[in-house]
Each structure stands twice: as structure tokens, then as C-alpha cells.
Amino acid sequence: MIYFDNAATTSVNSEVLNSFNELCVKYYGNAASNHKYGQDSSRLLNMSREQILKLFNLDNSYQVVFTSGATESNNIAIKGVALAYQNRGKHLITSSVEHPSVLNAFKQLEEEFGFSLTILPVNEQGCVALDTLKNAMRNDTILVSIMHVNNEVGSVNDIEKMSEIIHKYPKCFFHSDTTQGITKLPLNYKVLDMFIASSHKIHGLKGSGMLIIKKNIRPLPLFSGGGQEDNIRSGTNDVPRDVVLAKTLRLEIEKTNKNYQHIKEINNYLKEELKGIEEVVINSPDINASPYILNFSLTKHKASVVVEALSLQNIMVSTISACSSKKNEKSHVLTAMNKGITIASNSIRLSFDENNTINEAKQFIIALKKILNELR
Ligand code: PMP
């Protein structure tokens, strides 16, 4: 199998899995129990939090909240914070190319809770221009959420410059959906008030993730419960799952530079080869782009048919993104990038990890050309 769908999910690192299995046997105590066995679990959880903060060079003005993944983390950061701080102001800002777990959370706040929402447009590279953000900021803006790396096309926003703009407004918090950038691209996370990770996108376990949040920010709990995770995310901790997130992150961060170079080579090769195919239009930007994602459209064939034909040859790629691909809709990201309906409804996303090779990229191009010829 050639697996080019790593933005949807990744394989589990065997070291992570082995640690998880060991922890499941050794640490089944409830971290909230007062007895020694429960406290062993609690201590381990807290050690893992400290390790995670260190990995991102953060001091203890931040805290790690373990969650079930990026969707939950985004919902806590957005709905939890907007609802808790609505007395300061009711204006919210996000961008048009966010993942549905961000966009729909904001839309719910607008439609059901009376917030005023500005959805920023993006430029042709899929990025929010700094001036666009600057002009949208208001004195009653309490939360801005703009993603680091876009999950469909790989465009990279200038989070550090955005933070300078946003933090001129002392009442406003800055959250970023960092799901597709974390451990892959460098970022000074100190410029953010909140950011997140989903373990299964970085060779960790499914059903696991985190929100890192400044300690002085107190989101409204979305679930009422026993007050676990500093009363931000109630429910008994899955201690082994939470604890191995520290290892998952460390193993990936150790390889950031090496992986980046390797994946850039694969991406460059594929981009050049794809440019040579007449009906292909590359959608991923040339600058400010993550090499982990390469998105292109077909102008003469249906992308869904080609993706199915590739799958029959054991080559796994995505149309739009895994979250939307079953709905057979046009991409909201490509539409926001002004790409037009043919391109926006016929895109294919390739997304890579360190296990992919140039040889796989070569096989992919051969298979794609053959399929396009046969379907003519
Ligand atoms: N944000 C982004 C940018 C993503 O790519 C994804 C996964 N497609 C999510 C959020 C949601 O992640 P999860 O399914 O792990 O909750």
C-alpha cells in the first residue's frame, strides 16, 4: 500500500503503542482516587504535563488539558472561552478556511448565543492577510481563532505577526488550531493563548489530544462533571492514553527537521511531475506552505472517480479532506481561495509522513497517468 493520507490520520508509532500497553497494565488507578495507587496515576499524568510544556518551551503560566482530540480541544477553546468571557464583549473572529470543528463552533455561538462573528477571507494562497485581521479587530473582540496550517492545502499563516496585532487588544484571546503544524513546522507557541494537538495526526493514539491554555484563562466547562483537568474537561482520565501523548510529541519533535527535509523532497518531486500533466492544477501555494500537504485539482476527470481507481491499486489519497469527502461537496477552502467550482469540486489531497519515499511518489505518478489515460 502507498499511504498518502497522513493529514487524515497516521499509523501508530510502535514505541507509543508498547508504552501504552505497559501503562494500561500498570496504571489502571483512577487519577482522582485518594489512595496511593490512584495518586501514582495522578503523579504520572502531571509528569507528562510538565514534559509537554517543556517540549514547547512553555513555563507554568500555561497548563495542559488532556482531551479526546482536536475537535474537542477546539470546542473547549472556542465555545468555553467565548461563553465565559461574553461580558467583556461579544465579537469573535475566525477565518473562512478553518476546520469544521472551529467554523461550526463559531457559527453556533453566532446563531444560538447572539455573538457577532467576523469570518475573515483568505488570499489566493489560502492565508489570512495581516491587514485583513488588523481591520477586523474591535474593542469588543474577545477571541480570535486562526489555524496555523490548513488541512486541505497546507497554507501556513503568520501566527507570530497575528499575535502582535491581536495582543494590542488586552481583552482578546488568541487561539490557533495547530493540528496540522504541531511537531512538523517550527512555531513560537508562546505567542498563543491557546493551541492544540490531536495525537492520531502525529503517530499517536486515536481518541487522544490536548489543549494547551494559559492558566489565567478559565473556559466555561462544556461538560459538567467531577472537575477533572482543572475543571476544564470533566470525566475520568484515560491515564495511559494521556500519558503517552508526551512520548508521542517528543518522538515527533526529535525528528522535525529531518522529516521536513525528507518530505519537502517528495513534495517537490510530485509537484514538478504533476505540473507536467495537462489537466492538473496545483492548489497548494508555492510560498508559505507546509510540504506535508499537496493539493491539486483535475479539470477533465472527476476527482472522486480517480481517487477510487487509485484506491483499487492500493494507493490511498483523499478528495477534499477526510471530514468532508463523504459528502461529495465542493471544498470550502478552495472556494474561499477563489478557485471556481470545477477546481473546488475536483480536488485531490496528498499528505505525507516520514515513511513515504520518492519511489512511492514515482509509482503514484505512473499510476495516476495510467488512470487518466484509461478513463479518457
Ligand atoms: N483541525 C484540523 C486542522 C484537522 O485537520 C482536523 C482533522 N481533520 C481536526 C481539527 C479534527 O481532528 P480530530 O478528528 O482528531 O478531532
Side-chain angles (χ1 to χ4, degrees):
M1 174 174 74
I2 296 177
Y3 187 76
F4 284 165
D5 198 18
N6 289 282
T9 198
T10 57
S11 58
V12 185
N13 183 327
S14 56
E15 278 188 64
V16 169
L17 194 55
N18 290 341
S19 296
F20 174 69
N21 286 333
E22 279 174 29
L23 287 163
C24 282
V25 178
K26 280 195 200 149
Y27 290 91
Y28 62 83
N30 188 324
S33 295
N34 284 332
H35 50 71
K36 188 179 156 302
Y37 194 51
Q39 288 310 297
D40 285 348
S41 290
S42 173
R43 222 177 351 264
L44 203 63
L45 263 184
N46 288 335
M47 270 170 55
S48 147
R49 286 185 227 280
E50 277 170 32
Q51 283 166 9
I52 291 172
L53 289 182
K54 265 203 200 121
L55 288 172
F56 295 103
N57 293 319
L58 298 171
D59 59 24
N60 57 12
S61 61
Y62 286 84
Q63 69 177 326
V64 176
V65 177
F66 292 113
T67 68
S68 63
T71 297
E72 186 184 2
S73 302
N74 279 331
N75 272 271
I76 296 173
I78 295 163
K79 289 192 269 194
V81 167
L83 291 171
Y85 291 90
Q86 57 186 313
N87 290 340
R88 288 182 172 189
K90 289 201 89 165
H91 181 231
L92 310 168
I93 297 178
T94 191
S95 87
S96 53
V97 296
E98 301 291 321
H99 184 269
S101 59
V102 171
L103 263 181
N104 292 341
F106 276 108
K107 285 182 182 164
Q108 191 183 22
L109 288 167
E110 182 186 39
E111 287 160 14
E112 313 279 344
F113 295 94
F115 283 85
S116 150
L117 173 63
T118 302
I119 301 179
L120 301 175
V122 292
N123 58 23
E124 288 198 347
Q125 280 83 46
C127 295
V128 173
L130 296 176
D131 271 349
T132 312
L133 171 63
K134 206 184 272 174
N135 295 335
M137 291 296 299
R138 304 191 328 211
N139 285 329
D140 64 338
T141 311
I142 57 163
L143 175 65
V144 177
S145 180
I146 295 177
M147 71 202 315
H148 184 208
V149 176
N150 180 269
N151 53 302
E152 279 191 39
V153 294
S155 44
V156 181
N157 277 308
D158 192 341
I159 296 298
E160 293 169 23
K161 291 244 168 68
M162 287 177 171
S163 167
E164 285 173 24
I165 295 169
I166 293 161
H167 286 124
K168 290 209 170 88
Y169 294 77
K171 284 195 303 193
C172 187
F173 297 121
F174 186 17
H175 167 61
S176 182
D177 178 353
T178 44
T179 306
Q180 297 289 353
I182 208 157
T183 75
K184 299 183 168 78
L185 266 61
L187 180 65
N188 176 10
Y189 288 94
K190 286 182 191 138
V191 305
L192 288 163
D193 297 307
M194 297 173 277
F195 66 96
I196 67 165
S198 187
S199 310
H200 73 97
K201 308 277 188 191
I202 51 172
H203 298 286
L205 301 166
K206 291 180 176 57
S208 156
M210 66 171 185
L211 163 69
I212 294 191
I213 182 168
K214 281 222 172 108
K215 257 191 195 150
N216 62 341
I217 306 177
R218 303 298 311 164
L220 189 86
L222 300 185
F223 290 114
S224 306
Q228 291 89 343
E229 295 297 289
D230 201 21
N231 201 28
I232 292 174
R233 199 266 191 179
S234 278
T236 301
N237 284 84
D238 187 338
V239 174
R241 196 173 297 267
D242 294 343
V243 166
V244 289
L245 176 51
K247 183 168 196 167
T248 306
L249 288 163
R250 178 175 57 77
L251 291 174
E252 288 303 292
I253 286 171
E254 281 168 3
K255 294 180 290 189
T256 297
N257 292 337
K258 193 167 152 245
N259 288 351
Y260 187 94
Q261 292 311 328
H262 174 65
I263 286 160
K264 191 151 182 59
E265 263 176 49
I266 294 174
N267 184 308
N268 285 346
Y269 169 82
L270 282 166
K271 206 186 270 178
E272 284 315 306
E273 289 293 321
L274 286 168
K275 279 182 187 164
I277 301 175
E278 197 206 322
E279 68 164 295
V280 167
V281 177
I282 307 279
N283 298 318
S284 291
D286 274 332
I287 48 160
N288 300 328
S290 163
Y292 281 78
I293 294 175
L294 179 55
N295 186 305
F296 63 95
S297 288
L298 300 169
T299 54
K300 294 196 183 123
H301 288 90
K302 258 192 96 56
S304 53
V305 174
V306 173
V307 167
E308 215 174 300
L310 285 164
S311 167
L312 287 174
Q313 298 196 25
N314 247 352
I315 300 176
M316 309 305 156
V317 304
S318 267
T319 46
I320 318 185
S321 69
C323 324
S324 331
S325 57
K326 292 214 168 65
K327 296 182 202 146
N328 207 11
E329 288 166 349
K330 65 182 186 338
S331 151
H332 76 288
V333 176
L334 296 174
T335 305
M337 288 166 73
N338 245 335
K339 296 285 183 186
I341 183 141
T342 312
I343 294 199
S345 46
N346 262 317
S347 64
I348 294 179
R349 178 186 69 182
L350 313 180
S351 49
F352 313 109
D353 79 348
E354 71 258 39
N355 301 318
N356 292 134
T357 61
I358 286 280
N359 196 33
E360 287 179 335
K362 287 181 180 162
Q363 287 179 54
F364 168 79
I365 292 293
I366 292 168
L368 178 66
K369 284 182 176 167
K370 193 159 171 271
I371 288 166
L372 294 179
N373 264 328
E374 282 168 3
L375 288 175
R376 222 170 269 279

